[in-house]
Amino acid sequence: MSKVYQVVIYTSILDETKLAKYAALAGPAMQAAGAKFLARGVPIAVKEQGLKTRTVVIEWESMDAAEKGYASEGYQKALSALDGGAIREFRYVEAA
């Protein structure tokens, strides 16, 4: 299987403090699992129906690696810290 790109779209941030706690834990946990962060932040431009909301793009070696990263103990701790502080959409796209 080829590389996979994970796109995380924050549709709503409900609690900035929880989001900050999540981010402090999630980044290192995902990098330890093999994630490579390609982009993160608010888009500099959007087209058509796009929304200017926080977006993160991550490269994984495979979907299996992405799933293991998500299930990892470190990332699960990050999710507990987020505790409903944001509404997000995760998309996984196989590299061309």
Side-chain angles (χ1 to χ4, degrees):
M1 177 182 271
S2 62
K3 291 184 179 184
V4 170
Y5 296 96
Q6 176 184 354
V7 180
V8 181
I9 301 165
Y10 285 71
T11 56
S12 182
I13 296 174
L14 307 171
D15 187 321
E16 291 284 349
T17 302
K18 287 181 179 180
L19 179 60
K21 289 178 183 176
Y22 161 82
L25 296 170
M30 293 180 77
Q31 287 175 320
K36 180 179 178 185
F37 286 86
L38 302 179
R40 58 180 137 184
V42 176
I44 59 171
V46 294
K47 302 283 186 201
E48 299 185 22
Q49 297 298 313
L51 301 174
K52 277 195 148 188
T53 60
R54 182 173 173 78
T55 303
V56 181
V57 180
I58 303 162
E59 180 181 81
W60 294 93
E61 287 300 315
S62 66
M63 188 64 207
D64 185 53
E67 292 288 5
K68 286 179 181 175
Y70 189 89
S72 71
E73 182 180 341
Y75 189 71
Q76 291 303 305
K77 285 181 182 178
L79 284 177
S80 291
L82 184 58
D83 187 33
I87 298 171
R88 307 175 301 164
E89 176 185 331
F90 279 44
R91 296 180 184 196
Y92 297 89
V93 182
E94 191 171 13

